[in-house]
Amino acid sequence: MADDIMIKHVPLLCLQIAYDILVSRLFYFVLKPLRVPLIIAQVLAGFTLSPSLLGNFEWVFSLFYSQYGILTVETFANLGIMYYVFLSGLEMNSDTILRSRKKGTSIAIAGIVTPMLFGVGFLALQQKLIDKNDVFAQTPKENQGKAYLFWCLALSVTGFPVLARILANLKLLYTKLGKDALTAAMLTDAYGWVMFTLLIPYSTRGGKPYLSVISTLMFIVFLLCCDSLGTHPIVGAFVFGLILPHGKFADMVLELSADFVSGILCPVYFAGFGFRLNLPFLWKQKNVGLMLLIMLLLCIPKVLSSVIVTFFFGMPARDGVAIGLLLNTKGIMAVILLNVAWDKRILDPYTFMVMMLAIIVMTVMVSPLINAIYKPKFRFMQSQLRTVQKLRFDMVLRIVACVHNAKHANNMIHVIEATNATRLSPIHVSVAHLVQLTRHGTSILVSQMDNSNSTVGGAEAANYGSQLEFKSITNTFEELVEQYNAVRFDISSVVSSYTTIHEDIYNVAEEKRASLIILPFHKEYSTIENAPEIIHNEHCEINKNVLQQAPCSVGIFVDRGLGSLLETKLRIIMIFIGGPDDREALSIAWRMAGHPGTQLHVVRINLLGKAAEETKLKMEKSKYHHGMLSTIIDNVMQKELDEECIISFRHKAVNNNDSILYSEKEVHSNTGEEIPTLLNDIDKPGYDLYIVGQGSGKNSVIFSRLLEWCDHPELGVIGDILASTSFGTQSSVLIVQQYLVGRKLVVRKCHEVKSGTENL
């Protein structure tokens, strides 16, 4: 018997698994421009083996679905879905559900009730369109009531894990729209699981379903009581996953099993669902056109309910439509419901296939339509410049502080502390804990939905291995708030792939209306002599990406043990050469100088003679000329702005504050050798913090030459020299880039034509 299983069943199972995985990945790759979820690709993989396509060939059908192998494949598929349901319960956070806010709850309730009411009418219309002479297509009379329940529930549920991934891919996760949609989806998903648990007893013929429901509820209560007593009964996939405590154990289970379950086990189950889609069978119906129309109409109820609810909350109709489309996303719950309805003959084949097509269409069209409505590539275009220089003196300075760990937070609070929060001009810090998204990252997405509106702290506990790190970061900023009444903060984890996490940082800055983003340098220097530096190259790429098209000014902070203003006086030096970045850096230094415990020295470096020569870029006029004229201010105008800025600073700051000094230095040679020597002379008195512009003197020949030797060009020439260990300074450095419209274009063009510079 064992030999027979190994010879007949195992090879067939391996063939089925291999085919489903390879074909689903092929569909996922081909449909990647449409951002189609993986679950849809897996369903389509099964559809290729249905009678509509390859299954129409007898040898193909017998190869994949032979009589002695079907049971093995279905057993494996059901095992996979059991593990998937267990992980879904493990990822669901009941505490977050109970803390859901009024708007999300209202959208969820409307998104459940409206589709269920409309669903009754759509199902009645669908069944009237079926040919009465087709006995096979009729739903048994005893199952009519059950059919309405399963049909309406499948229409009302939302696939929360699938939606979370879609929002993450569209970079809408940390917007107000994304948080509202995610909250409503989480509540709807929880409702779906509860209703699924209660509906299963009614899907079985005979018996007493009421007793089954009561016993199921008693079973859940028993598990919860047992959990409170400290025991962990291994029964019930979903309930067992739900009652498990969220912590290191849950993270370990997800880390070890999520990839295997979603990558190996589940494709077989979803492919089996797609295999049941028999389009030729559906086309035989006389009213097939009207059936397809019903399929499209099934997409409307959630959109309609969302538009109505969001209207009462003062949201634009566009947001209501978008939330409705997002809540139409279907996932594992809808698939399980339809499969149960098929196996128990609760839904007739035509009704089953209409709902199946509706599920596929609803989920596939979400990303393209949302992408078209919001046009993510252009949502950072703005008419008002968000910079520290343009900020009024009586306005709140809003800062997005990005940290990867608790050490970054401890370092970051000192530079934030130095920015001089006052009652007239307070500071609001939005702390973004940057976390790399793993494949099973739904649980950490859940924990970040509604934790950004607190005025002092109020951070949510993150469902992740970095839970302690998150709490430590929160405690660090809470201590800062306790020390300074004019400082407020909120905190959330920004969970995304490191290759695209910069777009999420843009979203946070846009949502918070920030004037400054502060990033940690990717190298961590130790204050202990001869201690090795810690390098995080992936953080370097994040910093470079953020600089490209940030919606506000950006600062990169190189920490070398910057102290607290509560313990010592802060000595700051700002090096001014010219350009928008230097003017922004001067504005930040000027603000810091307002603190009574701060001393500021501004050194202006004048480029004279050969050192003042500017680079001449070779470029095709037809390709670059118009763009460069529209994005780069004329050099003459830049110099005028520099002079205005310096004159204003000297008149308003230097003449009225004895703790502010101003001096000028000159550079004449264009060899570049004078710059490091000059910086060494400037550094002799010793300072705690350097503030410099990222693009200082970038149009001059001397800085163009030095740029070629920079180890970290994202810091600019001066910043790279100061951050280098060979320079010898023990000062921390803040490198500043001012927000400019077209910054991304300028950076790209300069890199493209760098090799074409003349007189170098």
Side-chain angles (χ1 to χ4, degrees), residues 227-287:
D227 182 62
S228 64
L229 293 174
T231 59
H232 301 282
I234 309 177
V235 286
F238 176 73
V239 176
F240 181 54
L242 184 64
I243 68 173
L244 280 178
H246 296 283
K248 291 184 178 180
F249 175 74
D251 294 337
M252 181 186 68
V253 172
L254 287 168
E255 187 70 34
L256 295 177
S257 59
D259 290 343
F260 176 73
V261 172
S262 61
I264 305 296
L265 299 181
C266 285
V268 179
Y269 183 84
F270 293 125
F273 179 69
F275 174 77
R276 292 172 173 174
L277 181 57
N278 190 342
L279 291 181
F281 184 72
L282 184 62
W283 301 147
K284 293 179 182 178
Q285 281 290 312
K286 297 179 180 179
N287 298 316

Coordinates of all heavy atoms in Angstrom, one line a residue, residues 227-287:
D227 N -7.0 30.0 27.9 CA -5.9 30.9 27.6 C -5.6 31.8 28.8 O -4.4 32.1 29.1 CB -6.2 31.7 26.3 CG -5.0 32.6 25.9 OD1 -3.9 32.0 25.7 OD2 -5.2 33.8 26.0
S228 N -6.7 32.3 29.4 CA -6.5 33.2 30.5 C -5.8 32.5 31.7 O -5.2 33.1 32.6 CB -7.8 33.8 30.9 OG -8.7 32.8 31.4
L229 N -6.0 31.1 31.8 CA -5.4 30.3 32.9 C -4.0 29.9 32.5 O -3.3 29.3 33.4 CB -6.3 29.1 33.1 CG -7.7 29.3 33.7 CD1 -8.5 28.1 33.7 CD2 -7.6 30.0 35.1
G230 N -3.6 30.2 31.3 CA -2.2 29.9 31.0 C -1.9 28.7 30.2 O -0.8 28.4 29.8
T231 N -3.0 28.0 29.8 CA -2.8 26.8 29.0 C -3.1 27.1 27.5 O -3.7 28.2 27.2 CB -3.8 25.7 29.4 OG1 -5.2 26.2 29.3 CG2 -3.6 25.3 30.8
H232 N -2.6 26.3 26.6 CA -2.7 26.6 25.2 C -3.2 25.3 24.5 O -2.5 24.5 24.0 CB -1.3 26.9 24.6 CG -0.7 28.1 25.3 ND1 -1.1 29.4 25.0 CD2 0.2 28.2 26.2 CE1 -0.4 30.3 25.7 NE2 0.4 29.6 26.5
P233 N -4.5 25.2 24.4 CA -5.1 24.0 23.8 C -4.9 24.0 22.3 O -5.2 25.1 21.6 CB -6.6 24.1 24.1 CG -6.8 25.6 24.4 CD -5.6 26.1 25.0
I234 N -4.4 22.9 21.7 CA -4.1 22.9 20.3 C -5.3 22.4 19.6 O -5.4 21.2 19.2 CB -2.9 22.0 20.0 CG1 -1.7 22.4 21.0 CG2 -2.4 22.1 18.6 CD1 -0.5 21.5 20.8
V235 N -6.4 23.2 19.4 CA -7.6 22.9 18.7 C -8.1 24.1 18.0 O -8.0 25.2 18.5 CB -8.7 22.4 19.7 CG1 -8.4 21.0 20.2 CG2 -8.8 23.3 20.9
G236 N -8.6 23.9 16.8 CA -9.2 25.0 16.0 C -8.2 25.9 15.4 O -7.5 26.6 16.1
A237 N -8.0 25.8 14.1 CA -7.0 26.5 13.4 C -7.1 28.0 13.7 O -6.2 28.7 14.2 CB -7.0 26.2 12.0
F238 N -8.2 28.6 13.3 CA -8.3 30.0 13.4 C -8.4 30.5 14.8 O -7.7 31.5 15.2 CB -9.6 30.5 12.6 CG -9.8 32.0 12.8 CD1 -9.0 32.9 12.1 CD2 -10.9 32.5 13.5 CE1 -9.3 34.3 12.2 CE2 -11.1 33.8 13.7 CZ -10.3 34.7 13.0
V239 N -9.3 29.9 15.7 CA -9.4 30.3 17.0 C -8.1 30.2 17.8 O -7.8 31.0 18.6 CB -10.6 29.6 17.7 CG1 -10.7 29.9 19.2 CG2 -11.9 29.8 17.0
F240 N -7.4 29.1 17.5 CA -6.2 28.8 18.2 C -5.2 29.9 17.8 O -4.4 30.4 18.7 CB -5.6 27.5 17.9 CG -4.3 27.1 18.5 CD1 -4.2 27.2 19.9 CD2 -3.2 26.7 17.8 CE1 -3.0 26.9 20.5 CE2 -2.0 26.5 18.4 CZ -1.9 26.5 19.8
G241 N -5.1 30.3 16.5 CA -4.2 31.3 16.1 C -4.6 32.7 16.7 O -3.8 33.5 17.1
L242 N -5.9 32.9 16.9 CA -6.4 34.2 17.4 C -6.1 34.4 18.9 O -5.8 35.5 19.3 CB -8.0 34.3 17.2 CG -8.6 35.6 17.6 CD1 -8.1 36.7 16.7 CD2 -10.1 35.5 17.5
I243 N -6.2 33.3 19.7 CA -6.0 33.4 21.1 C -4.5 33.4 21.5 O -4.2 33.7 22.6 CB -6.7 32.3 21.9 CG1 -6.1 30.9 21.6 CG2 -8.2 32.3 21.6 CD1 -6.6 29.8 22.5
L244 N -3.6 33.0 20.6 CA -2.2 33.0 20.9 C -1.7 34.4 21.2 O -2.1 35.4 20.5 CB -1.4 32.4 19.7 CG -1.4 30.9 19.6 CD1 -0.5 30.5 18.4 CD2 -0.8 30.3 20.9
P245 N -0.9 34.6 22.2 CA -0.4 36.0 22.5 C 0.5 36.5 21.4 O 1.3 35.7 20.9 CB 0.3 35.8 23.9 CG 0.7 34.3 23.9 CD -0.4 33.6 23.1
H246 N 0.4 37.7 21.1 CA 1.2 38.3 20.1 C 2.6 38.7 20.7 O 2.6 39.6 21.6 CB 0.6 39.6 19.5 CG -0.7 39.2 18.8 ND1 -0.7 38.7 17.5 CD2 -2.0 39.4 19.1 CE1 -2.0 38.5 17.1 NE2 -2.8 38.9 18.1
G247 N 3.6 38.1 20.3 CA 4.9 38.3 20.9 C 6.0 37.6 20.1 O 5.8 37.3 18.9
K248 N 7.0 37.2 20.8 CA 8.2 36.5 20.1 C 7.8 35.2 19.5 O 8.2 34.8 18.4 CB 9.3 36.4 21.1 CG 10.0 37.7 21.5 CD 11.2 37.4 22.4 CE 11.9 38.7 22.7 NZ 13.1 38.5 23.6
F249 N 6.9 34.5 20.2 CA 6.5 33.1 19.7 C 5.7 33.3 18.4 O 5.9 32.6 17.5 CB 5.7 32.4 20.8 CG 5.1 31.1 20.3 CD1 5.9 30.0 20.1 CD2 3.7 31.0 20.0 CE1 5.4 28.8 19.7 CE2 3.2 29.8 19.5 CZ 4.1 28.7 19.3
A250 N 4.7 34.2 18.4 CA 3.9 34.4 17.2 C 4.8 34.9 16.1 O 4.6 34.4 14.9 CB 2.8 35.4 17.5
D251 N 5.8 35.8 16.4 CA 6.7 36.2 15.3 C 7.5 35.1 14.7 O 7.7 35.0 13.5 CB 7.6 37.3 15.8 CG 6.8 38.6 16.2 OD1 5.7 38.8 15.7 OD2 7.3 39.3 17.1
M252 N 8.0 34.2 15.6 CA 8.8 33.1 15.2 C 8.0 32.1 14.3 O 8.4 31.7 13.3 CB 9.3 32.3 16.4 CG 10.2 31.2 16.1 SD 10.7 30.2 17.5 CE 9.1 29.5 18.0
V253 N 6.7 31.8 14.7 CA 5.9 31.0 13.9 C 5.6 31.5 12.6 O 5.7 30.8 11.5 CB 4.5 30.7 14.7 CG1 3.6 29.9 13.8 CG2 4.8 29.9 16.0
L254 N 5.3 32.8 12.5 CA 5.1 33.5 11.2 C 6.3 33.5 10.4 O 6.3 33.2 9.2 CB 4.6 34.9 11.5 CG 3.2 35.1 12.0 CD1 3.0 36.5 12.4 CD2 2.2 34.7 10.9
E255 N 7.5 33.8 11.0 CA 8.7 33.8 10.3 C 9.1 32.5 9.6 O 9.6 32.4 8.5 CB 9.8 34.3 11.2 CG 11.2 34.6 10.5 CD 11.1 35.8 9.6 OE1 10.4 36.8 10.0 OE2 11.8 35.8 8.6
L256 N 8.8 31.4 10.4 CA 9.3 30.1 9.9 C 8.3 29.4 9.0 O 8.7 28.6 8.1 CB 9.4 29.1 11.2 CG 10.6 29.5 12.1 CD1 10.6 28.6 13.3 CD2 11.9 29.5 11.4
S257 N 7.0 29.8 9.1 CA 6.0 29.0 8.3 C 5.3 29.8 7.3 O 4.7 29.2 6.3 CB 4.9 28.5 9.3 OG 4.3 29.5 10.0
A258 N 5.3 31.1 7.3 CA 4.5 32.0 6.4 C 4.9 31.7 5.0 O 4.1 31.6 4.1 CB 4.7 33.4 6.8
D259 N 6.2 31.7 4.7 CA 6.7 31.5 3.3 C 6.3 30.2 2.7 O 5.9 30.0 1.6 CB 8.2 31.7 3.2 CG 8.6 33.1 3.4 OD1 7.7 34.0 3.3 OD2 9.8 33.4 3.7
F260 N 6.4 29.1 3.6 CA 6.1 27.8 3.1 C 4.6 27.6 2.9 O 4.2 27.1 1.9 CB 6.5 26.8 4.2 CG 6.1 25.3 3.9 CD1 6.8 24.6 2.9 CD2 5.1 24.7 4.6 CE1 6.4 23.3 2.6 CE2 4.7 23.4 4.3 CZ 5.4 22.7 3.3
V261 N 3.8 28.2 3.8 CA 2.3 28.1 3.7 C 1.8 28.9 2.4 O 1.1 28.3 1.6 CB 1.6 28.6 4.9 CG1 0.1 28.7 4.7 CG2 2.0 27.7 6.1
S262 N 2.3 30.1 2.3 CA 1.8 30.9 1.2 C 2.4 30.6 -0.1 O 1.8 30.8 -1.2 CB 2.0 32.4 1.5 OG 3.4 32.7 1.7
G263 N 3.7 30.0 -0.1 CA 4.4 29.7 -1.3 C 4.2 28.3 -1.8 O 4.3 28.1 -3.0
I264 N 3.9 27.4 -1.0 CA 3.9 26.0 -1.4 C 2.5 25.4 -1.2 O 1.9 24.8 -2.1 CB 4.9 25.1 -0.6 CG1 6.3 25.7 -0.7 CG2 4.8 23.6 -1.0 CD1 6.8 25.6 -2.1
L265 N 1.9 25.6 0.0 CA 0.6 24.9 0.3 C -0.6 25.6 -0.3 O -1.4 25.0 -1.0 CB 0.4 24.9 1.8 CG 1.4 24.1 2.7 CD1 1.1 24.2 4.1 CD2 1.5 22.7 2.2
C266 N -0.7 26.9 -0.2 CA -1.9 27.7 -0.6 C -2.1 27.7 -2.1 O -3.2 27.7 -2.6 CB -1.8 29.1 -0.1 SG -2.2 29.2 1.7
P267 N -1.0 27.8 -3.0 CA -1.3 27.8 -4.4 C -2.1 26.6 -4.9 O -2.9 26.8 -5.8 CB 0.1 27.7 -5.0 CG 1.0 28.4 -4.0 CD 0.4 28.0 -2.7
V268 N -2.0 25.5 -4.3 CA -2.8 24.3 -4.7 C -4.3 24.5 -4.4 O -5.1 24.2 -5.2 CB -2.3 23.0 -4.0 CG1 -3.1 21.8 -4.4 CG2 -0.8 22.8 -4.3
Y269 N -4.6 25.1 -3.2 CA -6.0 25.4 -2.9 C -6.6 26.4 -3.8 O -7.7 26.2 -4.3 CB -6.0 25.8 -1.4 CG -7.5 26.0 -0.9 CD1 -8.2 25.0 -0.4 CD2 -8.1 27.3 -0.9 CE1 -9.5 25.2 0.0 CE2 -9.4 27.5 -0.5 CZ -10.1 26.4 0.0 OH -11.4 26.6 0.4
F270 N -5.9 27.5 -4.0 CA -6.5 28.5 -4.8 C -6.5 28.1 -6.3 O -7.5 28.5 -7.0 CB -5.6 29.8 -4.7 CG -5.7 30.5 -3.4 CD1 -4.5 30.7 -2.7 CD2 -6.9 30.8 -2.8 CE1 -4.6 31.3 -1.4 CE2 -7.0 31.4 -1.6 CZ -5.8 31.6 -0.8
A271 N -5.6 27.3 -6.7 CA -5.7 26.7 -8.1 C -6.9 25.8 -8.2 O -7.5 25.8 -9.3 CB -4.4 26.0 -8.4
G272 N -7.2 25.1 -7.2 CA -8.4 24.2 -7.2 C -9.7 25.1 -7.3 O -10.6 24.7 -8.0
F273 N -9.6 26.2 -6.7 CA -10.8 27.2 -6.9 C -10.9 27.7 -8.3 O -12.0 27.7 -8.9 CB -10.6 28.3 -5.9 CG -11.6 29.4 -6.0 CD1 -12.9 29.1 -5.5 CD2 -11.4 30.6 -6.5 CE1 -13.9 30.1 -5.6 CE2 -12.4 31.6 -6.5 CZ -13.6 31.3 -6.1
G274 N -9.8 28.0 -8.9 CA -9.8 28.5 -10.3 C -10.2 27.4 -11.3 O -10.8 27.7 -12.3
F275 N -9.9 26.2 -10.9 CA -10.2 25.0 -11.8 C -11.7 24.9 -12.0 O -12.1 24.4 -13.0 CB -9.6 23.7 -11.2 CG -10.0 22.5 -11.9 CD1 -9.4 22.1 -13.1 CD2 -11.0 21.7 -11.4 CE1 -9.8 21.0 -13.8 CE2 -11.4 20.5 -12.1 CZ -10.7 20.2 -13.3
R276 N -12.5 25.4 -11.0 CA -13.9 25.2 -11.1 C -14.6 26.3 -12.0 O -15.8 26.2 -12.2 CB -14.5 25.3 -9.7 CG -14.1 24.1 -8.8 CD -14.5 24.3 -7.4 NE -14.3 23.0 -6.7 CZ -14.4 22.9 -5.4 NH1 -14.8 23.9 -4.6 NH2 -14.2 21.7 -4.8
L277 N -13.8 27.2 -12.6 CA -14.4 28.2 -13.4 C -14.5 27.6 -14.9 O -13.5 27.5 -15.6 CB -13.5 29.4 -13.5 CG -14.0 30.6 -14.3 CD1 -15.4 31.0 -13.9 CD2 -13.0 31.8 -14.2
N278 N -15.7 27.2 -15.2 CA -16.0 26.6 -16.5 C -16.7 27.6 -17.4 O -18.0 27.6 -17.4 CB -16.8 25.3 -16.3 CG -16.9 24.5 -17.6 OD1 -16.6 25.0 -18.7 ND2 -17.3 23.2 -17.5
L279 N -16.0 28.4 -18.2 CA -16.6 29.4 -19.0 C -17.5 28.9 -20.1 O -18.6 29.4 -20.4 CB -15.6 30.4 -19.5 CG -14.8 31.3 -18.5 CD1 -13.8 32.1 -19.2 CD2 -15.8 32.1 -17.7
P280 N -17.1 27.8 -20.8 CA -18.0 27.3 -21.9 C -19.4 26.9 -21.3 O -20.4 27.0 -22.0 CB -17.2 26.1 -22.4 CG -15.8 26.4 -22.1 CD -15.8 27.2 -20.8
F281 N -19.4 26.3 -20.1 CA -20.6 26.0 -19.5 C -21.5 27.2 -19.2 O -22.7 27.2 -19.4 CB -20.3 25.2 -18.2 CG -21.5 24.7 -17.4 CD1 -22.2 23.6 -17.9 CD2 -22.0 25.3 -16.3 CE1 -23.4 23.1 -17.3 CE2 -23.1 24.8 -15.6 CZ -23.8 23.7 -16.1
L282 N -20.8 28.3 -18.8 CA -21.6 29.5 -18.6 C -22.1 30.2 -19.9 O -23.2 30.7 -19.9 CB -20.7 30.5 -17.8 CG -21.3 31.9 -17.4 CD1 -22.4 31.6 -16.4 CD2 -20.3 32.8 -16.8
W283 N -21.3 30.1 -21.0 CA -21.7 30.7 -22.2 C -22.9 30.1 -22.8 O -23.6 30.7 -23.7 CB -20.6 30.6 -23.3 CG -19.3 31.3 -22.9 CD1 -18.0 30.9 -23.3 CD2 -19.1 32.5 -22.1 NE1 -17.1 31.7 -22.7 CE2 -17.7 32.7 -22.0 CE3 -19.9 33.4 -21.4 CZ2 -17.1 33.8 -21.3 CZ3 -19.4 34.4 -20.7 CH2 -18.0 34.6 -20.7
K284 N -23.2 28.8 -22.4 CA -24.4 28.1 -23.0 C -25.7 28.7 -22.6 O -26.7 28.5 -23.2 CB -24.3 26.7 -22.6 CG -23.2 25.9 -23.2 CD -23.2 24.4 -22.7 CE -22.0 23.7 -23.3 NZ -22.0 22.3 -22.8
Q285 N -25.7 29.5 -21.5 CA -26.9 30.1 -21.0 C -27.4 31.2 -21.9 O -26.6 32.0 -22.5 CB -26.7 30.7 -19.6 CG -26.7 29.7 -18.5 CD -28.1 29.1 -18.2 OE1 -29.1 29.8 -18.1 NE2 -28.2 27.8 -18.2
K286 N -28.7 31.3 -22.2 CA -29.3 32.3 -23.0 C -29.1 33.7 -22.5 O -28.9 34.6 -23.2 CB -30.8 32.0 -23.2 CG -31.1 30.7 -23.9 CD -32.6 30.5 -24.0 CE -32.9 29.2 -24.7 NZ -34.4 28.9 -24.8
N287 N -29.1 33.8 -21.2 CA -29.0 35.1 -20.6 C -27.7 35.4 -20.0 O -27.5 36.1 -19.0 CB -30.1 35.2 -19.4 CG -31.5 35.1 -19.9 OD1 -31.9 35.7 -20.9 ND2 -32.3 34.3 -19.2

